[in-house]
Amino acid sequence: MDLDAYVSARQPDWQRLEQLTARRRPSGAEADELIDLTRRVGTDLSLIRSRTPDATLVSYLSGILSRARLRAVGTSSVRTADVASFFWRRFPAALYRLRWWWLTAMGLSYALTALMVWWLLSNPVVETSFFDPAQVNQLVNSDFANYYSESAPSEFAAQVWTNNVWVAALCLGAGILGLPVVYVLWQNMSNLAIVASLMIGNDRGDVFFGLILPHGLLELTAVFVAAGVGLRVFWALVAPGPLPRGRAVAVEGRTAAGVALGLVLVLGVSGLVEGFVTPSGLPTWARIAIGVGVQVAFLAWVFVIGRRAHRAGHGGDIEADRLEDTVAVAA
């Protein structure tokens, strides 16, 4: 690459970016121009580093980019645009693209739970080997229902949200190892099956489903999403497909990081339902209807908005022009 010719061609953009970073309050149009030029100059810097690393030029462009990024972070329109893009394109598109992973995790988990409940109900001797009658009575007639109302709704919602975010983060963070995700799912579903069998076996099934369904539908779906996306990262390591292994894992890893951010909101909604709706005095049918409603809204977000975004070319990864290390190189 002829460095002098490249500098001559690209220098006007560099100088313009310097001018914009010197403005104290850029207008809306200038803020958009600042973002666009920051991306282009970032590509210039990556290309120069990889082809003809001139120390002076690299230092000059790095300085411009540092100031431009600081200016961009302080521009509210950038944050608004990025947040809107994330929740209307990147996050739902990721969930839609990876739908078969988390839908499979959901289907298998529910099937296994139902099988476990059936087996435990068919073998009541198992119950007596783990719990004495006093413990069962305490759980069935007191502890299970009291769990949802023993704390203030706001405090309880915060506790539930924190716990569920931790479970989802564990599935996503340990996804590349594979087995930890399966273990987390097993722990959650086996505990659910044991409690369900105790409640149903003691004629308290109506209480169980009346308290679990309002928040549990969305909450468990979020866990299944985290598990499915985490396992997809593991599978990218095992079978990367047409991409190099490192790049395939990087793509799915970045997608998983975005999903983690989105699930913070989803689990926040389920936490609010669990804190304020589940223990409320509303009729059981109304509480369950609210739970079904937020679940349907989530699925519509994925299969309507996410499907549209996916068809438009979004897959959940960071846009290519945001990745400084991704540079178009002519063959």
Side-chain angles (χ1 to χ4, degrees):
M1 182 178 75
D2 186 336
L3 184 60
D4 291 335
Y6 189 81
V7 170
S8 177
R10 301 296 303 137
Q11 196 166 27
D13 277 353
W14 303 345
Q15 292 173 342
R16 177 56 178 162
L17 185 58
E18 279 191 285
Q19 293 173 359
L20 291 174
T21 57
R23 303 282 176 88
R24 292 190 61 187
R25 293 183 179 178
S27 65
E30 288 175 335
D32 291 338
E33 186 182 6
L34 174 68
I35 297 167
D36 182 58
L37 286 174
T38 299
R39 295 172 183 168
R40 284 193 274 168
V41 175
T43 300
D44 292 340
L45 177 58
S46 296
L47 185 59
I48 291 170
R49 278 174 171 166
S50 62
R51 292 296 189 86
T52 54
D54 180 278
T56 302
L57 188 56
V58 167
S59 176
Y60 166 67
L61 292 178
S62 296
I64 296 176
L65 283 173
S66 294
R67 293 190 296 273
R69 284 169 182 150
L70 286 173
R71 176 66 65 189
V73 168
T75 305
S76 60
S77 61
V78 176
R79 293 197 298 269
T80 302
D82 286 346
V83 170
S85 176
F86 176 80
F87 284 108
W88 288 98
R89 287 192 287 272
R90 184 182 170 192
F91 179 57
L95 298 191
Y96 183 80
R97 177 174 70 85
L98 300 173
R99 63 194 182 279
W100 295 118
W101 286 88
W102 58 268
L103 285 174
T104 299
M106 177 189 291
L108 291 176
S109 296
Y110 279 139
L112 177 61
T113 303
L115 183 62
M116 290 175 64
V117 170
W118 171 81
W119 183 79
L120 289 168
L121 291 173
S122 302
N123 298 273
V125 68
V126 177
E127 174 186 305
T128 60
S129 66
F130 287 100
F131 307 97
D132 60 49
Q135 289 176 317
V136 173
N137 181 69
Q138 180 75 14
L139 172 68
V140 168
N141 295 308
S142 178
D143 288 352
F144 183 77
N146 290 343
Y147 168 75
Y148 295 99
S149 56
E150 59 188 5
S151 299
S154 58
E155 180 182 348
F156 182 60
Q159 292 173 350
V160 168
W161 176 79
T162 302
N163 177 72
N164 291 332
V165 166
W166 167 248
V167 172
L170 187 60
C171 287
L172 290 166
I176 196 168
L177 301 176
L179 286 178
V181 178
V182 177
Y183 176 75
V184 170
L185 282 179
W186 167 257
Q187 285 288 98
N188 275 271
M189 302 317 291
S190 60
N191 288 337
L192 180 64
I194 290 170
V195 174
S197 67
L198 290 173
M199 296 292 290
I200 295 171
N202 288 273
D203 298 322
R204 301 285 284 173
D206 56 335
V207 175
F208 174 78
F209 289 110
L211 291 173
I212 283 291
L213 291 179
H215 65 275
L217 291 172
L218 184 61
E219 179 183 294
L220 287 174
T221 298
V223 172
F224 297 140
V225 167
V229 174
L231 290 173
R232 182 63 185 90
V233 177
F234 169 72
W235 193 248
L237 180 65
V238 174
L243 295 177
R245 194 178 309 276
R247 186 177 173 190
V249 172
V251 168
E252 298 302 341
R254 289 191 299 265
T255 300
V259 169
L261 291 176
L263 288 181
V264 170
L265 173 63
V266 176
L267 289 169
V269 173
S270 72
L272 289 174
V273 174
E274 187 167 2
F276 291 91
V277 176
T278 298
S280 72
L282 291 172
T284 299
W285 67 265
R287 289 186 278 113
I288 293 177
I290 292 173
V292 172
V294 294
Q295 175 75 347
V296 170
F298 173 77
L299 294 177
W301 189 16
V302 174
F303 290 99
V304 177
I305 296 173
R307 182 169 177 264
R308 186 183 304 132
H310 185 257
R311 286 189 167 185
H314 299 278
D317 190 14
I318 299 173
E319 289 81 358
D321 59 2
R322 296 282 180 117
L323 299 173
E324 280 190 16
D325 294 334
T326 302
V327 182
V329 179

